[in-house]
Amino acid sequence: MAMLGEITHTTTYRYTKPVSFGTHRAMFLPRRGACARLLGWSARTNPPSKVHWTTDARSNTVTVMEFSELASELTIIFQVRGVYFGIKGIESFPLAARAEQIPVQYSPDEWTDLAGYLRPHADDPDGSLASWTKSFVAGDKDETTDVLHRLLRTFRESFSYSARESEGTQAPGETLRKRSGTCRDYAWLMIETLRRLGLASRFVSGYLYDQALDGGAVGATGSGATHAWVQVFLPGAGWLDYDPTNQINAGFDLIPVAVARHPAQAIPLEGSWFGDAGDYAGMSVNVTVHKIGDIRDSSEG
């Protein structure tokens, strides 16, 4: 089954008087491939800007906006329409025998290609991350998918989601200590935990389709804004999605935009402005993911 959908991502920055703007870079375009087929997209700004498109080293699409006018309000609107493919029961894909238990055995070629996603990036000065990691394995032959689901349940049952306006991502040790954070914080802690278990993992930024929110009801955690989750590479199945914020790992609920070794490589929107520090008056972000209809694949009969 596939979903025909439309995403609108609006960001507004406000200032007490006109200021000038430097280059802004955004990641909003869903990654094309097996999970998405894009039909059309646009980037509009007020004040107007010169827009061009490029890709980074990880094949993420980057929108670059150059401004020449002063303004007391900057609005950036991204829109994209596409077909998004979802697979129910994604873990029904057979894992290679060498991936069924931890530690997963990667081939030499896989080790070369996945090296950046296998090496932990965060410091662990007090050993708290190491202790936390060990709590998810009981012996020498833990089933890989059992460990992954155990980790998802722990986030759901023992952590408290906490949105914040400040930029950036908490250090994994801080999220672990607070037992609280945003979707980006959860994803980064899960990635660093999985890497310490020998599982190749990467950070994903994108959108969350929530049927309840689309219908005007209360949405899932993290909906209404950009979302973040984890992808784990398991031989035989490939890159699999795991969302520690909502315990999602199947369907077309998760629409990836950017993949990265660490969160700083997948910032949805970044840029600069020039004026007095007191000129900044705040910002607002609104993301809607609207399903236009379902598309049935002809191969489904």
Side-chain angles (χ1 to χ4, degrees), residues 23-29 41-45 49-55 60-67 78:
T23 301
H24 281 59
R25 296 168 61 88
M27 293 181 175
F28 85 95
L29 204 61
W41 57 90
S42 66
R44 294 179 287 122
T45 69
S49 63
K50 181 179 180 180
V51 178
H52 70 270
W53 311 80
T54 185
T55 57
N60 302 312
T61 300
V62 181
T63 308
V64 182
M65 295 156 284
E66 304 280 356
F67 296 89
F78 302 123

Side-chain angles (χ1 to χ4, degrees), residues 136 147-157 190 241-245 247-249:
F136 293 100
V147 172
L148 287 164
H149 284 288
R150 199 177 303 151
L151 188 51
L152 289 182
R153 285 196 303 271
T154 300
F155 276 102
R156 191 69 166 181
E157 297 170 359
M190 183 170 178
D241 294 298
Y242 289 88
D243 177 6
T245 305
Q247 284 192 286
I248 297 173
N249 69 312

Side-chain angles (χ1 to χ4, degrees), residues 214-241:
D214 198 17
V218 177
T221 304
S223 56
T226 53
H227 194 48
W229 62 95
V230 179
Q231 286 183 344
V232 184
F233 186 82
L234 298 179
W239 289 105
L240 300 182
D241 294 298

